[in-house]
Protein backbone atom coordinates (compact mmCIF):
# COMPACT_ATOMS: atom_id res chain seq x y z
CA UNK A 1 0.00 0.00 0.00
CA UNK A 2 1.38 3.41 -0.96
CA UNK A 3 1.85 6.13 1.61
CA UNK A 4 -1.09 8.21 0.42
CA UNK A 5 -3.55 5.31 0.42
CA UNK A 6 -2.42 4.38 3.93
CA UNK A 7 -2.92 7.93 5.15
CA UNK A 8 -6.38 7.97 3.67
CA UNK A 9 -7.39 4.78 5.49
CA UNK A 10 -5.96 6.18 8.70
CA UNK A 11 -7.94 9.39 8.24
CA UNK A 12 -11.14 7.49 7.55
CA UNK A 13 -10.58 5.40 10.67
CA UNK A 14 -10.02 8.53 12.69
CA UNK A 15 -13.26 9.96 11.35
CA UNK A 16 -15.18 6.81 12.33
CA UNK A 17 -13.63 6.81 15.79
CA UNK A 18 -14.37 10.45 16.38
CA UNK A 19 -17.97 10.05 15.18
CA UNK A 20 -18.38 7.17 17.61
CA UNK A 21 -16.76 9.15 20.40
CA UNK A 22 -18.99 12.10 19.66
CA UNK A 23 -22.07 9.89 19.78
CA UNK A 24 -20.87 8.23 22.98
CA UNK A 25 -20.33 11.59 24.58
CA UNK A 26 -23.66 12.95 23.49
CA UNK A 27 -25.37 9.92 24.95
CA UNK A 28 -22.99 9.85 27.94
CA UNK A 29 -22.51 6.08 28.06
CA UNK A 30 -20.99 6.53 31.53
CA UNK A 31 -24.38 7.61 32.80
CA UNK A 32 -26.25 4.50 31.70
CA UNK A 33 -27.32 1.89 34.23
CA UNK A 34 -25.58 -1.46 34.63
CA UNK A 35 -26.47 -4.71 36.37
CA UNK A 36 -23.34 -5.78 38.24
CA UNK A 37 -24.32 -9.23 39.46
CA UNK A 38 -26.79 -8.61 42.29
CA UNK A 39 -26.17 -4.84 42.23
CA UNK A 40 -28.11 -2.37 40.12
CA UNK A 41 -25.82 0.53 39.29
CA UNK A 42 -27.35 3.75 38.02
CA UNK A 43 -24.12 4.91 36.36
CA UNK A 44 -20.70 3.50 35.48
CA UNK A 45 -18.39 5.95 37.23
CA UNK A 46 -16.60 4.00 39.96
CA UNK A 47 -14.56 5.43 42.82
CA UNK A 48 -11.11 3.80 42.50
CA UNK A 49 -9.34 2.41 45.59
CA UNK A 50 -6.80 4.91 46.89
CA UNK A 51 -4.49 4.81 49.87
CA UNK A 52 -4.80 8.17 51.65
CA UNK A 53 -3.02 7.59 54.99
CA UNK A 54 -5.69 9.27 57.14
CA UNK A 55 -6.68 6.24 59.25
CA UNK A 56 -4.72 6.98 62.40
CA UNK A 57 -3.44 3.81 64.04
CA UNK A 58 -5.06 1.72 61.28
CA UNK A 59 -8.59 2.67 62.32
CA UNK A 60 -11.09 4.53 60.06
CA UNK A 61 -11.84 8.00 61.41
CA UNK A 62 -14.84 10.36 61.30
CA UNK A 63 -13.03 12.01 58.37
CA UNK A 64 -13.03 8.65 56.53
CA UNK A 65 -16.79 8.55 56.94
CA UNK A 66 -17.11 12.11 55.66
CA UNK A 67 -14.81 11.45 52.66
CA UNK A 68 -16.73 8.40 51.37
CA UNK A 69 -20.12 9.87 52.23
CA UNK A 70 -19.27 12.92 50.13
CA UNK A 71 -18.46 10.69 47.14
CA UNK A 72 -21.46 8.36 47.37
CA UNK A 73 -24.33 8.80 44.91
CA UNK A 74 -27.51 6.76 44.43
CA UNK A 75 -26.64 3.56 42.55
CA UNK A 76 -22.91 4.45 42.38
CA UNK A 77 -20.11 1.97 43.14
CA UNK A 78 -17.28 2.92 45.46
CA UNK A 79 -14.20 0.80 46.08
CA UNK A 80 -12.60 1.80 49.36
CA UNK A 81 -8.93 2.23 50.08
CA UNK A 82 -6.97 -0.97 50.73
CA UNK A 83 -7.55 -2.37 54.21
CA UNK A 84 -4.89 -4.68 55.60
CA UNK A 85 -5.97 -8.25 56.33
CA UNK A 86 -3.45 -8.65 59.14
CA UNK A 87 -1.03 -6.45 61.04
CA UNK A 88 2.02 -5.98 58.85
CA UNK A 89 4.61 -3.45 57.87
CA UNK A 90 3.58 -1.06 55.15
CA UNK A 91 5.52 1.58 53.28
CA UNK A 92 2.59 3.90 54.06
CA UNK A 93 1.63 5.27 57.49
CA UNK A 94 -1.90 5.14 58.86
CA UNK A 95 -3.45 2.77 56.37
CA UNK A 96 -6.56 1.04 57.69
CA UNK A 97 -6.98 -2.58 58.63
CA UNK A 98 -9.99 -4.87 58.74
CA UNK A 99 -8.75 -7.51 61.16
CA UNK A 100 -9.64 -6.12 64.63
CA UNK A 101 -13.07 -5.58 66.17
CA UNK A 102 -12.22 -1.89 66.69
CA UNK A 103 -11.59 -1.52 62.96
CA UNK A 104 -14.77 -3.40 62.02
CA UNK A 105 -16.82 -1.15 64.32
CA UNK A 106 -15.24 1.97 62.82
CA UNK A 107 -15.88 0.75 59.27
CA UNK A 108 -19.57 0.22 60.12
CA UNK A 109 -20.06 3.97 60.44
CA UNK A 110 -18.26 4.62 57.14
CA UNK A 111 -20.32 2.01 55.30
CA UNK A 112 -23.54 3.40 56.75
CA UNK A 113 -22.74 6.88 55.43
CA UNK A 114 -22.27 5.41 51.93
CA UNK A 115 -25.39 3.24 52.09
CA UNK A 116 -27.46 6.15 53.39
CA UNK A 117 -26.80 7.82 50.04
CA UNK A 118 -27.88 4.70 48.14
CA UNK A 119 -24.42 3.66 46.90
CA UNK A 120 -22.72 0.25 46.77
CA UNK A 121 -19.47 -0.10 48.72
CA UNK A 122 -16.70 -2.66 48.21
CA UNK A 123 -13.73 -2.97 50.55
CA UNK A 124 -10.36 -3.51 48.91
CA UNK A 125 -8.56 -6.12 51.03
CA UNK A 126 -4.82 -6.22 50.98
CA UNK A 127 -1.67 -7.68 52.38
CA UNK A 128 1.31 -5.40 52.01
CA UNK A 129 3.94 -8.13 51.87
CA UNK A 130 5.62 -8.52 48.51
CA UNK A 131 8.17 -11.23 49.01
CA UNK A 132 7.62 -14.90 48.40
CA UNK A 133 5.89 -16.74 51.18
CA UNK A 134 6.70 -20.05 52.77
CA UNK A 135 4.06 -22.78 52.69
CA UNK A 136 2.98 -22.00 56.28
CA UNK A 137 2.87 -18.23 55.71
CA UNK A 138 0.85 -18.84 52.59
CA UNK A 139 -1.73 -20.87 54.55
CA UNK A 140 -1.98 -18.14 57.18
CA UNK A 141 -2.40 -15.47 54.53
CA UNK A 142 -5.27 -17.33 52.86
CA UNK A 143 -7.02 -17.64 56.24
CA UNK A 144 -6.46 -13.94 56.93
CA UNK A 145 -7.97 -12.91 53.62
CA UNK A 146 -10.93 -15.14 54.35
CA UNK A 147 -11.40 -13.59 57.79
CA UNK A 148 -11.03 -10.08 56.35
CA UNK A 149 -13.80 -10.80 53.84
CA UNK A 150 -16.02 -12.03 56.68
CA UNK A 151 -15.20 -8.87 58.65
CA UNK A 152 -15.96 -6.67 55.65
CA UNK A 153 -19.43 -8.21 55.41
CA UNK A 154 -19.85 -7.78 59.18
CA UNK A 155 -19.03 -4.11 58.76
CA UNK A 156 -21.75 -3.90 56.10
CA UNK A 157 -19.65 -3.75 52.93
CA UNK A 158 -21.45 -5.18 49.90
CA UNK A 159 -18.40 -7.13 48.82
CA UNK A 160 -14.62 -7.14 48.64
CA UNK A 161 -12.01 -6.46 46.01
CA UNK A 162 -8.84 -8.49 46.45
CA UNK A 163 -5.79 -6.36 45.71
CA UNK A 164 -3.70 -8.42 43.32
CA UNK A 165 -2.28 -5.49 41.36
CA UNK A 166 1.23 -4.01 41.47
CA UNK A 167 2.86 -7.33 42.30
CA UNK A 168 0.77 -8.04 45.39
CA UNK A 169 -0.20 -11.72 45.37
CA UNK A 170 0.61 -12.43 41.74
CA UNK A 171 4.17 -13.30 40.85
CA UNK A 172 5.57 -14.31 44.25
CA UNK A 173 6.14 -17.89 43.28
CA UNK A 174 7.91 -16.90 40.13
CA UNK A 175 10.94 -15.91 42.08
CA UNK A 176 10.90 -18.87 44.39
CA UNK A 177 10.44 -21.35 41.62
CA UNK A 178 13.27 -19.88 39.64
CA UNK A 179 15.58 -19.83 42.64
CA UNK A 180 14.85 -23.37 43.74
CA UNK A 181 14.35 -25.39 40.63
CA UNK A 182 14.85 -23.17 37.62
CA UNK A 183 12.33 -22.32 34.96
CA UNK A 184 9.69 -24.92 34.30
CA UNK A 185 6.33 -25.19 32.61
CA UNK A 186 4.39 -24.66 35.82
CA UNK A 187 5.48 -21.06 35.95
CA UNK A 188 2.00 -19.58 35.44
CA UNK A 189 0.30 -21.86 37.95
CA UNK A 190 3.01 -21.03 40.45
CA UNK A 191 2.83 -17.31 39.82
CA UNK A 192 -0.93 -17.24 40.39
CA UNK A 193 -1.26 -19.93 43.03
CA UNK A 194 -1.47 -17.72 46.13
CA UNK A 195 -3.86 -15.33 44.41
CA UNK A 196 -6.20 -18.06 43.22
CA UNK A 197 -6.26 -19.83 46.59
CA UNK A 198 -7.17 -16.54 48.23
CA UNK A 199 -9.92 -15.79 45.72
CA UNK A 200 -11.35 -19.29 46.21
CA UNK A 201 -11.33 -18.97 50.01
CA UNK A 202 -12.90 -15.51 49.94
CA UNK A 203 -15.56 -16.63 47.44
CA UNK A 204 -16.37 -19.63 49.65
CA UNK A 205 -16.75 -17.28 52.60
CA UNK A 206 -18.94 -14.52 51.18
CA UNK A 207 -20.12 -15.79 47.76
CA UNK A 208 -18.35 -15.35 44.43
CA UNK A 209 -20.87 -12.73 43.31
CA UNK A 210 -19.50 -10.38 45.96
CA UNK A 211 -15.85 -10.74 45.00
CA UNK A 212 -13.75 -8.62 42.67
CA UNK A 213 -10.07 -8.91 41.83
CA UNK A 214 -7.71 -6.05 41.01
CA UNK A 215 -4.96 -6.74 38.61
CA UNK A 216 -2.35 -4.75 36.67
CA UNK A 217 -1.42 -7.07 33.81
CA UNK A 218 1.45 -4.96 32.57
CA UNK A 219 3.12 -4.12 35.86
CA UNK A 220 6.81 -4.85 35.73
CA UNK A 221 6.74 -7.40 38.55
CA UNK A 222 7.59 -10.39 36.45
CA UNK A 223 10.90 -11.09 34.91
CA UNK A 224 10.07 -10.95 31.23
CA UNK A 225 12.77 -13.50 30.49
CA UNK A 226 10.97 -15.93 32.74
CA UNK A 227 7.35 -15.27 31.97
CA UNK A 228 5.38 -13.45 29.30
CA UNK A 229 3.16 -10.88 31.03
CA UNK A 230 0.39 -11.15 28.49
CA UNK A 231 0.27 -14.94 28.75
CA UNK A 232 0.32 -14.75 32.53
CA UNK A 233 -2.51 -12.19 32.55
CA UNK A 234 -4.67 -14.27 30.24
CA UNK A 235 -3.99 -17.38 32.32
CA UNK A 236 -5.08 -15.52 35.44
CA UNK A 237 -8.18 -14.03 33.80
CA UNK A 238 -9.27 -17.48 32.62
CA UNK A 239 -8.64 -19.00 36.03
CA UNK A 240 -10.65 -16.23 37.72
CA UNK A 241 -13.37 -16.85 35.22
CA UNK A 242 -13.68 -20.42 36.42
CA UNK A 243 -14.15 -19.15 39.97
CA UNK A 244 -17.14 -17.11 38.79
CA UNK A 245 -16.16 -13.92 40.54
CA UNK A 246 -18.14 -10.74 40.00
CA UNK A 247 -15.56 -8.53 38.37
CA UNK A 248 -12.00 -7.98 37.34
CA UNK A 249 -10.62 -4.50 37.88
CA UNK A 250 -7.70 -3.66 35.62
CA UNK A 251 -5.13 -0.94 35.97
CA UNK A 252 -3.94 0.12 32.56
CA UNK A 253 -0.69 1.89 31.83
CA UNK A 254 -2.50 4.96 30.56
CA UNK A 255 -2.09 7.42 33.39
CA UNK A 256 -0.29 10.61 32.43
CA UNK A 257 2.66 9.71 34.62
CA UNK A 258 3.29 6.55 32.60
CA UNK A 259 4.35 6.17 29.02
CA UNK A 260 1.39 4.58 27.24
CA UNK A 261 2.50 1.55 25.30
CA UNK A 262 0.05 0.94 22.47
CA UNK A 263 0.83 -2.79 22.55
CA UNK A 264 -0.46 -2.98 26.09
CA UNK A 265 -4.09 -3.50 25.23
CA UNK A 266 -6.83 -4.68 27.54
CA UNK A 267 -8.43 -6.78 24.84
CA UNK A 268 -6.89 -10.22 25.55
CA UNK A 269 -7.97 -10.01 29.20
CA UNK A 270 -11.40 -8.60 28.33
CA UNK A 271 -11.89 -11.58 25.99
CA UNK A 272 -10.62 -14.12 28.50
CA UNK A 273 -12.64 -12.93 31.47
CA UNK A 274 -16.40 -13.44 31.28
CA UNK A 275 -17.46 -11.38 34.30
CA UNK A 276 -17.73 -7.60 34.49
CA UNK A 277 -14.67 -5.54 33.64
CA UNK A 278 -13.73 -2.34 35.42
CA UNK A 279 -10.76 -0.44 34.15
CA UNK A 280 -8.76 2.55 35.38
CA UNK A 281 -5.85 4.64 34.29
CA UNK A 282 -6.02 8.29 33.31
CA UNK A 283 -9.52 8.28 31.82
CA UNK A 284 -11.23 11.59 31.11
CA UNK A 285 -15.01 11.88 30.87
CA UNK A 286 -14.83 11.71 27.08
CA UNK A 287 -12.53 8.68 27.09
CA UNK A 288 -14.69 6.94 29.67
CA UNK A 289 -17.79 7.44 27.53
CA UNK A 290 -15.96 6.12 24.47
CA UNK A 291 -14.59 3.11 26.37
CA UNK A 292 -18.04 2.10 27.60
CA UNK A 293 -19.68 2.69 24.21
CA UNK A 294 -17.05 0.56 22.43
CA UNK A 295 -17.38 -2.29 24.94
CA UNK A 296 -13.75 -1.97 26.06
CA UNK A 297 -14.99 -2.10 29.67
CA UNK A 298 -18.27 -2.18 31.58
CA UNK A 299 -17.31 0.36 34.22
CA UNK A 300 -14.59 3.00 34.51
CA UNK A 301 -12.85 3.69 37.81
CA UNK A 302 -11.67 7.21 38.45
CA UNK A 303 -8.95 7.89 41.01
CA UNK A 304 -7.50 11.38 40.95
CA UNK A 305 -10.62 12.99 39.47
CA UNK A 306 -12.83 11.41 42.13
CA UNK A 307 -10.63 12.33 45.06
CA UNK A 308 -10.71 15.97 43.96
CA UNK A 309 -14.37 16.04 42.83
CA UNK A 310 -16.71 14.57 45.44
CA UNK A 311 -19.64 15.05 43.06
CA UNK A 312 -17.87 13.60 40.00
CA UNK A 313 -20.94 11.82 38.49
CA UNK A 314 -22.94 15.05 38.77
CA UNK A 315 -20.15 17.06 37.15
CA UNK A 316 -19.89 14.55 34.30
CA UNK A 317 -23.65 14.72 33.83
CA UNK A 318 -23.55 18.51 33.60
CA UNK A 319 -20.21 18.51 31.71
CA UNK A 320 -19.13 20.95 34.40
CA UNK A 321 -15.54 22.05 35.03
CA UNK A 322 -13.56 19.88 37.46
CA UNK A 323 -11.57 20.78 40.58
CA UNK A 324 -7.85 20.18 40.08
CA UNK A 325 -6.23 17.60 42.32
CA UNK A 326 -3.38 18.51 44.63
CA UNK A 327 -0.71 15.83 44.42
CA UNK A 328 0.99 17.18 47.55
CA UNK A 329 -1.92 16.05 49.74
CA UNK A 330 -2.48 12.58 48.26
CA UNK A 331 -0.76 10.87 51.20
CA UNK A 332 -1.00 12.89 54.38
CA UNK A 333 -2.44 12.63 57.85
CA UNK A 334 -4.30 15.92 57.48
CA UNK A 335 -7.95 14.96 57.85
CA UNK A 336 -9.25 18.01 56.00
CA UNK A 337 -6.78 19.51 53.53
CA UNK A 338 -6.82 17.69 50.22
CA UNK A 339 -9.21 15.12 51.67
CA UNK A 340 -12.62 16.38 52.71
CA UNK A 341 -12.27 20.03 51.64
CA UNK A 342 -12.66 19.67 47.86
CA UNK A 343 -15.87 21.60 47.13
CA UNK A 344 -18.92 20.31 45.27
CA UNK A 345 -20.45 22.39 42.49
CA UNK A 346 -23.22 23.44 44.85
CA UNK A 347 -20.74 24.66 47.43
CA UNK A 348 -18.86 26.61 44.76
CA UNK A 349 -22.09 28.23 43.61
CA UNK A 350 -23.01 29.22 47.15
CA UNK A 351 -19.60 30.85 47.56
CA UNK A 352 -19.85 32.91 44.35
C1 LIG B 1 -3.32 8.83 45.91
C2 LIG B 1 -3.51 7.51 45.20
C3 LIG B 1 -3.43 6.34 45.92
C4 LIG B 1 -3.64 5.11 45.29
N1 LIG B 1 -3.61 3.96 46.04
C5 LIG B 1 -3.99 2.79 45.47
C6 LIG B 1 -4.10 1.60 46.26
O1 LIG B 1 -3.81 1.63 47.44
N2 LIG B 1 -4.56 0.47 45.68
C7 LIG B 1 -4.86 0.43 44.34
O2 LIG B 1 -5.27 -0.63 43.84
N3 LIG B 1 -4.71 1.52 43.56
C8 LIG B 1 -4.31 2.69 44.08
N4 LIG B 1 -4.21 3.82 43.31
C9 LIG B 1 -4.48 3.73 41.87
C10 LIG B 1 -5.91 4.14 41.53
O3 LIG B 1 -6.83 3.21 42.04
C11 LIG B 1 -6.10 4.26 39.99
O4 LIG B 1 -5.93 2.99 39.40
C12 LIG B 1 -5.10 5.23 39.37
O5 LIG B 1 -5.07 6.43 40.11
C13 LIG B 1 -5.44 5.52 37.92
O6 LIG B 1 -6.68 6.16 37.84
P1 LIG B 1 -6.79 7.75 37.61
O7 LIG B 1 -5.93 8.06 36.41
O8 LIG B 1 -8.25 7.98 37.34
O9 LIG B 1 -6.29 8.44 38.83
C14 LIG B 1 -3.94 5.06 43.90
C15 LIG B 1 -4.00 6.26 43.18
C16 LIG B 1 -3.80 7.48 43.81
C17 LIG B 1 -3.90 8.75 43.00
Amino acid sequence: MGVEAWMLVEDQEKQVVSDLDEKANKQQALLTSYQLGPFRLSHRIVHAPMTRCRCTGGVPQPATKLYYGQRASPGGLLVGEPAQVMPSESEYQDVPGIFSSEQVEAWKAVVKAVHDKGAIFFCQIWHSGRTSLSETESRILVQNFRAAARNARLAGFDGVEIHGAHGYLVGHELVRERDDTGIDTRIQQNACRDALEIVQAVADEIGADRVGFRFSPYTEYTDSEVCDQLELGVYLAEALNKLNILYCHFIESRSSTMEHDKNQTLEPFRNAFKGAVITAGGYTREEGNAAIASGRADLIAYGRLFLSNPDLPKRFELKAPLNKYDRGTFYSNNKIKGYTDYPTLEELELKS
Side-chain angles (χ1 to χ4, degrees), residues 130 167-176 190-192 221-222 232:
R130 271 174 194 274
Y168 296 115
L169 301 183
V170 179
H172 293 167
E173 293 300 309
L174 217 53
V175 179
R176 193 168 63 191
N190 288 335
C192 300
Y221 57 80
T222 57
L232 178 65

Side-chain angles (χ1 to χ4, degrees), residues 93-112:
Q93 287 286 307
D94 293 325
V95 293
I98 187 135
F99 50 84
S100 75
S101 49
E102 185 190 7
Q103 290 161 345
V104 173
E105 282 312 304
W107 276 119
K108 277 184 185 168
V110 183
V111 176
K112 185 176 181 308

Side-chain angles (χ1 to χ4, degrees), residues 47-52 80-82 92 124 126 161 163-166 168 214 249-252 254-256 258 279-283 300-307 325 327 329-331:
H47 178 282
M50 284 175 284
T51 294
R52 304 305 307 281
E81 65 211 83
Y92 297 103
Q124 192 185 64
W126 173 59
E161 175 177 296
H163 189 356
H166 303 143
Y168 296 115
R214 193 156 215 222
H249 185 172
F250 292 98
I251 305 179
E252 295 179 71
R254 306 176 72 257
S255 68
S256 55
M258 292 185 227
T279 192
Y283 279 89
I300 307 293
Y302 289 89
R304 291 163 292 179
L305 296 185
F306 224 143
L307 75 79
Y325 53 80
R327 198 175 288 279
T329 53
F330 278 176
Y331 310 101

